[in-house]
Amino acid sequence: MDLDHLLSQINQSSATASGPISTPAVPHPFVHPPLTIQDDVKDLAAEVLILKAAAAVGKSILSRYIAASKQAPWLDLAAVRVATRALSGFISYDLTPPNPLSDFHAGKVPFVIDGLDEGPTRSPGFTEFLETSAELLASNRDFRSVPKLIMHARAESAKKIEEWCDKWGFLRRTITIEFFDRDSAEQVIYVYSGVENPGKPHRDFVDAYFSAIESALGIEPGELFQDPMGRSFAGYAPVLRALGRVIADKRNIYAATQELTRDGGADAWSLLERIIATVLTREREVLTGLLDPGVAGSLPADAFDGDQQLTLLAAYVPAGAINTSLPPALNPAQGVAYDQAVRQRLPEHPFVEYANGRPAFSNEVFGSLVLSHGITRDTLTPDHDSLLASVSRQPFLWRAMKARLSTSPVLDGRYVGYMLRSLWNDPLSPEDMTTAIDADESGLAEVRVTAGNDALAVFEVLPEVTLYGDVRDCMIRDVSLDLLGDEGALLNVSGSIISPTVETRGKADQVVLSGSVELLSDHMEWTTSDGRPVRVSLDPQSALLIRGGFDAYPWNQVGRP
């Protein structure tokens, strides 16, 4: 859907707004995101238009643009508290000419409402605001085909507004604000770069960036904006704005382009992390904007900085907990204000989306970054195991962890399997890579990943080690080992020697062995989800040596498929 078409369906306001519903200035710079409507309906005949979007796609700036274009009242529920009959009050006291109620019912004073996600937190009377607004809207239904309310929200809140409309019988249309596509993404980059006439060097840099991001994300060339995860990342407004600043700051754009085109995407990942850091900085700026200047000015530098955001997000997803750490520099009243701001902003974080009402990570890249932070801080709980299992199927957890290994303390051994599986799923990993896990003299276990004579990573973990889903080309000795199948079902072991572990505990319904595999242990036991013996399958030309202490043989068949 074209933005001009959307605007053509909304009337110019016949009244001038002031006070808390003042018409905003036209935002600049502004590039509108793509819009879609279900079944591509062109007719927007409805009393309520609902514009829904993921976080940081650009819905708030779009709401300001619509209000400014139509000189319409703009209500930002993230900043303005509302309660019973607030909409009636705005119409009566904050519009000129006063009390244009008949024009409101005729759709001649459309209200643009933003911040519906923050509304319930910001306003204790939010429910009453919605109910009394519905009563006002229902009091005159003579004009049902013209928009009177244009409401902007994320998907979960948008669904509630749809249910609210259906409950009262209001005609509604829902428009989705999409992530930026390639063309509009380039527009955003150049607008925020300040480069008025981008030339070939700038275009080459942008092309190199998108190609390198494809490589970093493991997406086929030319498919970045067709791939859902690729577009959800590359099409994020804060990422594109940050990239514009990168262009503005690059004194030698030729050298920058060369950085992105060498090493098959490795440099792109480091750039990706720098841009993510910029997004986190932006989120802190948004939070401080919710605070009174006196409180914002008293915040220490580490309050809601990148590290604290990642810590908060690790607790928020998936449990929904918000465990605010109050800066000691704040007095009690300031601490309450800060806590309220965090509780308001964190559910709106660009890293978060919602599935069946529960918080989830908006994509695997952001999720991997948060979980890697939780691994190094050892703040994750068993509730995170399914999330770790999910991101271990992608290379991003390992890439996020690798940069942290040199400064990380000793890691809990239960994370090793998720980390290594992510490494083994990285298409940039060398083919001759091997992994050794061995007890060291300090009583800890050392994990050493090598390719030929090069050490790719070396780190220490507690000596109780868990491997998950896959065991590839490993030499494991003198540790207590747990082997877990993917979601309890399938475990793939290839080219590995487990000898002689102190104890090996396996939990999988089926084990698939390939290459030369040796399973040797002082004590070995296996369990399955249904209590039956585990099934062991050998690939053709594989070899298996099993020796250890068993109470009973733990499998009911060993054979080639």
Side-chain angles (χ1 to χ4, degrees):
M1 169 178 285
D2 185 74
L3 178 59
D4 290 338
H5 177 68
L6 170 62
L7 292 174
S8 71
Q9 305 295 299
I10 303 170
N11 283 326
Q12 198 78 11
S13 178
S14 64
T16 303
S18 60
I21 58 168
S22 294
T23 302
V26 177
H28 181 79
F30 174 72
V31 178
H32 76 82
L35 306 173
T36 60
I37 188 169
Q38 189 174 9
D39 300 324
D40 199 27
V41 176
K42 299 297 183 184
D43 181 11
L44 295 182
E47 296 158 285
V48 180
L49 296 183
I50 304 168
L51 281 82
K52 70 176 182 179
V57 172
K59 61 182 173 59
S60 291
I61 196 170
L62 179 61
S63 76
R64 293 198 299 273
Y65 185 86
I66 292 172
S69 299
K70 295 300 176 179
Q71 287 298 292
W74 181 64
L75 175 59
D76 182 9
L77 296 176
V80 179
R81 293 188 177 185
V82 292
T84 302
R85 306 198 183 286
L87 184 58
S88 299
F90 294 140
I91 293 172
S92 299
Y93 301 108
D94 296 299
L95 293 175
T96 304
N99 200 27
L101 189 58
S102 59
D103 278 5
F104 168 75
H105 285 301
K108 297 179 180 179
V109 186
F111 266 71
V112 180
I113 303 177
D114 191 23
L116 283 154
D117 309 285
E118 295 92 343
T121 303
R122 184 73 172 172
S123 301
F126 179 77
T127 300
E128 290 76 12
F129 164 72
L130 281 182
E131 291 304 298
T132 53
S133 296
E135 291 170 1
L136 177 65
L137 208 60
S139 66
N140 186 333
R141 303 289 303 284
D142 292 342
F143 300 89
R144 302 188 181 198
S145 61
V146 59
K148 304 168 188 178
L149 300 177
I150 300 94
M151 310 178 83
H152 297 246
R154 289 178 63 171
E156 286 296 310
S157 296
K159 182 178 180 181
K160 294 177 182 178
I161 296 301
E162 290 174 341
E163 294 171 349
W164 172 77
C165 289
D166 296 343
K167 170 187 173 183
W168 286 87
F170 301 140
L171 296 181
R172 61 174 174 86
R173 290 283 187 271
T174 299
I175 300 165
T176 300
I177 306 172
E178 303 285 0
F179 296 104
F180 287 97
D181 57 20
R182 173 64 189 253
D183 291 341
S184 55
E186 286 192 22
Q187 291 182 48
V188 175
I189 292 169
Y190 293 135
V191 162
Y192 279 87
S193 72
V195 178
E196 294 184 2
N197 297 303
K200 186 176 184 299
H202 299 94
R203 292 192 296 272
D204 287 347
F205 175 81
V206 171
D207 289 342
Y209 170 78
F210 286 137
S211 295
I213 291 300
E214 284 175 337
S215 179
L217 298 178
I219 296 171
E220 291 295 321
E223 297 295 320
L224 181 63
F225 285 89
Q226 284 69 51
D227 182 271
M229 185 184 70
R231 187 169 178 178
S232 73
F233 188 87
Y236 260 126
V239 172
L240 297 171
R241 293 169 193 154
L243 186 57
R245 298 189 192 103
V246 169
I247 290 181
D249 292 341
K250 288 287 184 182
R251 298 181 181 180
N252 188 340
I253 201 158
Y254 296 100
T257 304
Q258 290 177 348
E259 287 179 14
L260 292 174
T261 54
R262 70 168 183 257
D263 295 338
D267 283 336
W269 182 258
S270 63
L271 177 59
L272 204 65
E273 288 206 318
R274 292 200 299 273
I275 291 177
I276 290 172
T278 304
V279 175
L280 294 172
T281 299
R282 170 194 175 272
E283 284 303 300
R284 188 181 192 277
E285 293 170 353
V286 172
L287 178 115
T288 56
L290 299 174
L291 299 169
D292 292 332
V295 179
S298 300
L299 287 180
D302 61 353
F304 210 68
D305 66 355
D307 277 356
Q308 190 176 89
Q309 288 178 55
L310 296 178
T311 298
L312 289 166
L313 288 165
Y316 186 66
V317 179
I322 300 179
N323 303 319
T324 309
S325 177
L326 298 180
L330 301 182
N331 63 41
Q334 292 174 328
V336 170
Y338 174 74
D339 179 71
Q340 290 176 342
V342 171
R343 292 180 182 279
Q344 176 181 332
R345 188 60 200 166
L346 194 68
E348 284 294 290
H349 201 284
F351 288 16
V352 177
E353 65 180 14
Y354 294 86
N356 300 318
R358 288 174 57 84
F361 293 121
S362 51
N363 64 43
E364 289 93 338
V365 175
F366 294 148
S368 296
L369 191 69
V370 173
L371 292 170
S372 68
H373 180 82
I375 288 173
T376 59
R377 302 297 178 90
D378 197 23
T379 59
L380 304 183
T381 70
D383 289 340
H384 293 94
D385 287 353
S386 61
L387 297 174
L388 288 164
S390 177
V391 299
S392 73
R393 301 184 183 102
Q394 301 285 345
F396 314 123
L397 179 66
W398 173 256
R399 294 181 187 178
M401 280 299 307
K402 187 177 180 181
R404 293 164 171 77
L405 290 177
S406 61
T407 58
S408 296
V410 176
L411 302 179
D412 192 318
R414 74 184 185 92
Y415 302 125
V416 172
Y418 302 117
M419 294 165 55
L420 291 180
R421 193 185 195 205
S422 177
L423 168 64
W424 294 326
N425 284 318
D426 192 338
L428 300 180
S429 297
E431 292 185 0
D432 60 345
M433 185 174 61
T434 60
T435 302
I437 304 174
D438 199 352
D440 60 23
E441 295 178 355
S442 66
L444 300 173
E446 180 186 81
V447 181
R448 178 178 292 269
V449 182
T450 58
N453 295 323
D454 298 326
L456 304 181
V458 180
F459 56 99
E460 287 188 318
V461 301
L462 297 177
E464 294 186 1
V465 175
T466 300
L467 297 183
Y468 178 82
D470 292 281
V471 184
R472 304 184 194 177
D473 299 311
C474 285
M475 170 71 78
I476 306 170
R477 295 181 299 186
D478 297 329
V479 295
S480 180
L481 181 66
D482 283 296
L483 300 173
L484 299 182
D486 187 353
E487 297 181 352
L490 181 64
L491 177 68
N492 292 287
V493 183
S494 60
S496 299
I497 300 176
I498 301 174
S499 165
T501 54
V502 175
E503 183 175 30
T504 299
R505 294 174 296 272
K507 184 176 181 181
D509 293 349
Q510 181 177 5
V511 179
V512 177
L513 304 175
S514 57
S516 177
V517 177
E518 298 182 17
L519 301 177
L520 315 175
S521 181
D522 295 342
H523 179 76
M524 189 181 302
E525 63 181 53
W526 290 80
T527 58
T528 57
S529 60
D530 57 9
R532 297 179 181 178
V534 65
R535 299 187 303 278
V536 179
S537 300
L538 281 71
D539 282 351
Q541 298 181 344
S542 60
L544 171 64
L545 171 63
I546 301 174
R547 185 173 68 237
F550 297 102
D551 295 331
Y553 286 113
W555 39 77
N556 63 359
Q557 67 179 49
V558 177
R560 305 191 190 281

